[in-house]
Amino acid sequence: METQTLTPRPSLFRRVFSTDHRTIARQYFFLSIFAVITGVCLSLLMRYHLVWPHEKVRWFEAIWSVRAEGGIMTEELYLSLMTLHGTIMVFFVLTLAPLNAFSNLVLPEQLGRREMAFPRLNMLSFWITLVSFLTLLASCVLDEGGPIAGWTAYPPLSAVGAVSGPGEGLGQTLWFVSIGIFCIGSLLAAMNIISTVIECRRPGMSLMQMPLTCWNWFVTSILSVLSFPVLLAAGLLILLDRLVGTSFFVPGDLLIAEQHNPHAGGSPLLWQHLFWFFGHPEVYIAILPGMGIVSHIISNFSRRAPFSYRACVWAPVAIAFLGMLVWGHHMFISGISPYSALTFSLVTMSIGAPSAVLVLNWLGTTFRAARLEFPTAMLFCLGFVSLFVTGGLTGLYLGQPEIDAYFHDTAFVVAHFHMIMGMAALFAVFAATFYWFPLMFGRMLNERLGKLHFYLTFIGAYALFLPMHFAGFAGNPRRYADFTNFDFLQAVMPLQHWITMTAFALGAVQLIFIWNLFSSIWRGAPATANPWSGSTLEWNPDGEISTLGPYSYSNSGSETN
Amino acid sequence: MPALTEPKVGGPPPITPLPPRRGGGNNGDDNGQGRRPSAEASGSMVRIAVYIGMCASTMTFAALASAMVVRRGLNPTDWHRLPVPPLLWINTLALILSSIVLDMAGRAFRAGDRPKFRKLWLAGTALGTWFLVGQAINWTFLAQNGFYLRQNPASAFFYVLTWAHAAHVIGAIGGLYYVTYRMMATPAIPMNRNVLEVSVIFWHFLDIMWLLLMAIFVFWA
Ligand code: HEM
Ligand SMILES: [Cu+2]
């Protein structure tokens, strides 16, 4: 499989600034591994603070001498950790890993080629993304502290500069700059994926013959092209508000920190529209590649074609299309007209239909399986299906304006999106890592450690996020640094302790994966060319394109392609 | 979308030959290492990339324009219309002319009429440059007459939209200059048709985008 690349070793420079799609895939992969480790550590700090806000921790003070004086986190520090956590997870983990890392790894081969359409552009996208990441980190190491406006960065407070709090000066500016750079990197990457799918298929590989992964990366990239520019435009406007003093998003007569604010006439709602016009498609950018990965892997280990290939193609297309039209469901209580709330609500609910089609398809594929196999990759896919259903169902609650009036900005929303995005999308990344690890490093991940990791993570995911829904029922607000002294939340505190405990346990369990990953890179069992007996071309790049479609597993179960 | 689902080739052949390594394409420039399966394939690839880029730009402008509509709708009281500066009409004319002339140049190139191509291309590039310079003059003119970015939302959006458009034009003019450079400095080497074609396509796109912006400025903002 690697014979072609084993010829003379290129210089270090060439290997770092590589145009080879698999190298770029590994670069994206390691960037998101680094990001996810950072993000998890941040979340554990947050969880600790939420239940023991007054406990002194000496090494907090060692890291943040001002913002954790005496070892007690300030509320601003908590908010800056929260902002960094959300931003890292949404952008640098859930956008990069499922979409950019794995599409670079296998997309060209799956289409019967060896290269992305624009290798140099590909390299450029990665390095731009890395610059964006470094900018984001830079925004948090300033003395004044990191930005505290959350990953949605709602104005007016995010648009008025340093008066609105520590970290809201240069830190928040850098945050917007980082996101702007990220938009450009993602746009270039999407451009590359779309061009590759449209123009670089091997003759004979019709669109309806592509593996489902390719379809989902294709659709996701179209979403990227339609939504990232809007975030870029919004970011541009808010930077002008911050730096030049225009009033796009800041209304007049604001009194901030006892100072009269000079802006006038802008509208914070405008930001919400622009942000969520990007933001909702963005959550589908995070999950659609996972859907493709899951369809692909479930088919492999059920040793049959997907229950309905066509449905698996058109359902994500429908989801993506509808997903462009539902941004208003994040604004139900922002004062939009009840009529538009109703419209957004109906469209939001209708996304349930194609989602259900997909779920039934996955189940149908396994029920009709020729022979079911359960390697770790398959387990993570089944885990994905479970978490996707759980997380999707709570979406249907939140999609109704009357119910959302209560749930908005409570822990219920946090539970919803962690179930579906934090957990389901991440399960797809785990599945893909186990499945394609041989193509990444020529070795296998350890299956026993993998299964242990899967079962503990699966239990941990439910143990952690299911109770969080109940905290939401009790009205537990979101984005508060400390709710220990609210009377009405005293009853929830034991639950919060449980959540923090499981969070630490779940975090510890991930060490199994990290250990498995790094030890297997160097010492894993060498992989054969097609370890899972897959039928698609990434396992057999010189193979023919089957006329029976990409998932032509013959039912005898002994074939390789 | 429906057109995309049609199979590219009538039916899948029983055995499909494997393209050479790196056969997937290139960045539009021919480095003579056999990376390009055929000039045709690569040309359409570059064109697709430019079309995708155009989609992204359209979304950016659409976002800015709808921000304008929403901002004005939510607070009409502080909206003071900006008179369309007279110079803008001259710039518009230059841009339309440049688009026409560059298109004629492209046709002349395809027809193999090198001298005509050179003349038209230079004229088109000059007109394009004029547009950009004219825009810069226009901004200083507005500032001298007291219309600033911060002053009122109408002028803020005027600056933002014209800047965003100018940023695109700078990129596109880079393409025009590149072709000019190749034409003047290395006339013996055959011109890369892709760069020429996509520069013209993108230029037309910016032309149309400008006309839409002008319509907003004249009739609405
Ligand atoms: C049938 C499917 C879904 C429905 C009906 C739905 C509905 C909703 C609604 C109404 C909200 C807003 C709640 C509020 O702020 O009060 C919300 C928030 C959210 N959803 Fe979903 N959702 C669905 C699927 C998804 C998926 C697939 C993802 C990601 C992979 C996702 C990620 C998020 C995130 C990140 C938020 C919170 C954003 C924030 O305020 O920070 N949702 N969802
Ligand atoms: Cu949403």
Side-chain angles (χ1 to χ4, degrees):
Chain A
M1 150 196 60
E2 284 287 320
T3 44
Q4 276 126 328
T5 48
L6 283 182
T7 38
R9 234 170 161 203
S11 69
L12 183 67
F13 183 82
R14 280 260 145 264
R15 271 181 289 146
V16 172
F17 295 95
S18 172
T19 53
D20 172 56
H21 65 96
R22 286 207 176 144
T23 307
I24 296 172
R26 283 186 287 259
Q27 289 170 331
Y28 270 122
F29 182 76
F30 281 121
L31 175 56
S32 32
I33 289 282
F34 179 75
V36 81
I37 293 175
T38 316
V40 168
C41 293
L42 291 168
S43 71
L44 295 181
L45 289 172
M46 285 155 62
R47 279 312 318 178
Y48 180 89
H49 180 77
L50 281 179
V51 297
W52 294 296
H54 311 298
E55 215 60 41
K56 288 193 171 70
V57 182
R58 283 287 148 225
W59 55 270
F60 284 0
E61 194 175 16
I63 306 180
W64 301 282
S65 53
V66 183
R67 291 182 293 148
E69 214 181 337
I72 292 181
M73 251 188 226
T74 56
E75 298 184 342
E76 290 82 8
L77 177 57
Y78 174 86
L79 291 178
S80 74
L81 299 181
M82 180 200 80
T83 304
L84 190 58
H85 165 80
T87 313
I88 282 189
M89 290 300 198
V90 171
F91 290 101
F92 293 94
V93 179
L94 293 177
T95 308
L96 293 190
L99 178 60
N100 298 352
F102 290 112
S103 75
N104 267 309
L105 187 67
V106 294
L107 179 73
E109 272 79 9
Q110 286 191 331
L111 298 174
R113 293 283 192 180
R114 301 300 176 90
E115 257 319 338
M116 297 289 277
F118 304 103
R120 263 181 278 166
L121 194 69
N122 204 3
M123 174 179 89
L124 191 66
S125 331
F126 171 76
W127 290 100
I128 290 179
T129 309
L130 186 66
V131 170
S132 155
F133 187 63
L134 296 177
T135 314
L136 179 66
L137 295 185
S139 77
C140 299
V141 296
L142 303 167
D143 277 347
E144 55 163 35
I148 57 176
W151 82 282
T152 52
Y154 276 11
L157 290 183
S158 68
V160 292
V163 284
S164 60
E168 287 300 285
L170 184 57
Q172 186 70 46
T173 301
L174 284 176
W175 187 92
F176 283 117
V177 171
S178 156
I179 296 306
I181 301 175
F182 188 89
C183 291
I184 294 171
S186 286
L187 277 172
L188 295 182
M191 194 183 258
N192 213 338
I193 293 172
I194 298 177
S195 310
T196 307
V197 169
I198 295 183
E199 279 297 325
C200 297
R201 280 167 290 130
R202 196 197 296 173
M205 173 72 72
S206 69
L207 283 175
M208 292 310 267
Q209 215 127 18
M210 293 195 304
L212 289 165
T213 40
C214 302
W215 261 106
N216 280 273
W217 286 322
F218 180 49
V219 175
T220 309
S221 301
I222 294 175
L223 273 186
S224 295
V225 166
L226 297 179
S227 61
F228 274 109
V230 177
L231 182 63
L232 189 62
L236 208 70
L237 294 181
I238 207 165
L239 276 174
L240 289 176
D241 270 8
R242 294 179 57 84
L243 300 175
V244 188
T246 52
S247 297
F248 295 111
F249 302 117
V250 191
D253 296 329
L254 284 185
L255 204 59
I256 298 172
E258 282 151 40
Q259 292 171 40
H260 182 264
N261 194 265
H263 294 267
S267 161
L269 272 186
L270 173 57
W271 171 265
Q272 295 192 16
H273 278 293
L274 292 173
F275 182 85
W276 288 116
F277 186 89
F278 151 80
H280 191 84
E282 163 63 23
V283 305
Y284 284 106
I285 290 172
I287 199 92
L288 282 177
M291 294 173 173
I293 289 165
V294 167
S295 302
H296 187 83
I297 297 178
I298 286 190
S299 170
N300 189 146
F301 295 117
S302 301
R303 313 230 45 90
R304 56 154 288 156
F307 187 77
S308 162
Y309 174 86
R310 280 172 175 275
C312 286
V313 168
W314 294 114
V317 173
I319 292 179
F321 175 74
L322 293 172
M324 298 288 304
L325 307 175
V326 298
W327 76 92
H329 67 211
H330 296 272
M331 302 167 61
F332 285 151
I333 66 149
S334 303
I336 57 172
S337 121
Y339 299 106
S340 42
L342 181 67
T343 319
F344 279 124
S345 169
L346 289 175
V347 186
T348 300
M349 307 282 219
S350 70
I351 296 189
S355 307
V357 167
L358 271 177
V359 170
L360 293 179
N361 242 294
W362 294 323
L363 298 181
T365 310
T366 52
F367 286 170
R368 297 266 186 90
R371 187 185 73 229
L372 270 180
E373 292 165 3
F374 294 103
T376 314
M378 178 67 158
L379 293 177
F380 271 112
C381 287
L382 298 177
F384 173 97
V385 178
S386 163
L387 293 162
F388 181 73
V389 172
T390 316
L393 282 177
T394 53
L396 293 178
Y397 288 76
L398 294 173
Q400 302 169 57
E402 303 81 359
I403 305 181
D404 188 54
Y406 182 81
F407 279 143
H408 180 76
D409 262 347
T410 67
F412 192 87
V413 175
V414 183
H416 157 68
F417 69 75
H418 277 86
M419 219 45 159
I420 198 146
M421 203 150 123
M423 286 293 124
L426 219 55
F427 268 45
V429 172
F430 283 133
T433 309
F434 276 87
Y435 185 74
W436 284 312
F437 195 78
L439 293 184
M440 247 193 284
F441 301 104
R443 294 175 185 274
M444 309 292 285
L445 280 167
N446 183 314
E447 280 289 313
R448 286 178 67 185
L449 283 180
K451 286 184 180 160
L452 181 68
H453 169 237
F454 164 75
Y455 285 112
L456 294 176
T457 307
F458 187 68
I459 296 169
Y462 275 102
L464 175 54
F465 291 114
L466 214 53
M468 204 181 273
H469 293 91
F470 296 101
F473 288 154
N476 195 331
R478 157 187 192 202
R479 292 183 171 171
Y480 275 35
D482 179 359
F483 29 66
T484 46
N485 43 13
F486 293 105
D487 285 341
F488 80 103
L489 287 178
Q490 288 316 311
V492 185
M493 283 322 285
L495 201 65
Q496 292 290 0
H497 277 92
W498 164 264
I499 293 175
T500 294
M501 296 302 189
T502 36
F504 275 94
L506 190 59
V509 164
Q510 302 317 304
L511 294 175
I512 304 177
F513 174 74
I514 297 295
W515 165 257
N516 195 355
L517 183 74
F518 286 100
S519 66
S520 301
I521 288 177
W522 287 285
R523 287 189 276 126
T528 53
N530 188 354
W532 316 114
S533 307
S535 70
T536 40
L537 290 178
E538 80 264 33
W539 300 111
N540 183 14
D542 299 330
E544 301 164 17
I545 296 170
S546 165
T547 48
L548 300 172
Y551 301 104
S552 50
Y553 295 98
S554 79
N555 281 350
S556 69
S558 61
E559 74 302 319
T560 44
N561 52 58
Chain B
M1 279 301 276
L4 297 182
T5 62
E6 283 158 24
K8 271 254 171 300
V9 179
I15 294 178
T16 35
L18 194 73
R21 172 103 179 133
R22 294 189 147 270
N26 62 17
N27 288 351
D29 52 350
D30 196 350
N31 59 8
Q33 291 169 8
R35 285 180 52 192
R36 178 188 300 179
S38 72
E40 228 56 55
S42 159
S44 56
M45 218 144 68
V46 177
R47 226 169 297 134
I48 292 224
V50 168
Y51 284 135
I52 301 168
M54 280 157 43
C55 289
S57 306
T58 308
M59 287 309 292
T60 315
F61 282 108
L64 293 172
S66 26
M68 196 171 177
V69 175
V70 174
R71 171 69 174 76
R72 188 182 182 183
L74 288 175
N75 184 4
T77 50
D78 68 344
W79 195 274
H80 307 291
R81 282 190 70 166
L82 187 79
V84 177
L87 189 58
L88 225 51
W89 292 108
I90 302 175
N91 294 349
T92 308
L93 192 69
L95 190 60
I96 297 177
L97 278 179
S98 74
S99 206
I100 296 173
V101 173
L102 286 174
D103 199 73
M104 284 160 60
R107 281 166 208 276
F109 182 84
R110 278 191 294 275
D113 188 347
R114 275 321 188 82
K116 189 173 168 201
F117 161 69
R118 292 180 63 150
K119 254 180 272 160
L120 287 170
W121 189 267
L122 283 178
T125 311
L127 282 165
T129 314
W130 174 5
F131 172 79
L132 203 58
V133 175
Q135 291 292 80
I137 297 175
N138 192 37
W139 292 321
T140 33
F141 172 79
L142 280 174
Q144 276 160 5
N145 285 281
F147 293 98
Y148 306 115
L149 186 68
R150 314 171 43 159
Q151 181 199 33
N152 97 66
S155 57
F157 274 107
F158 178 86
Y159 280 108
V160 169
L161 286 168
T162 49
W163 281 344
H165 186 264
H168 283 79
V169 171
I170 289 174
I173 270 199
L176 301 188
Y177 283 170
Y178 174 75
V179 174
T180 314
Y181 166 78
R182 288 288 305 269
M183 186 172 81
M184 309 296 280
T186 55
I189 303 171
M191 177 84 70
N192 186 334
R193 223 178 82 187
N194 298 328
V195 181
L196 194 149
E197 265 180 23
V198 298
S199 311
V200 177
I201 295 176
F202 197 64
W203 195 261
H204 290 335
F205 165 75
L206 291 180
D207 192 1
I208 294 170
M209 194 54 82
W210 178 253
L211 293 181
L212 292 175
L213 294 184
M214 272 305 273
I216 294 181
F217 297 145
V218 173
F219 296 113
W220 189 80

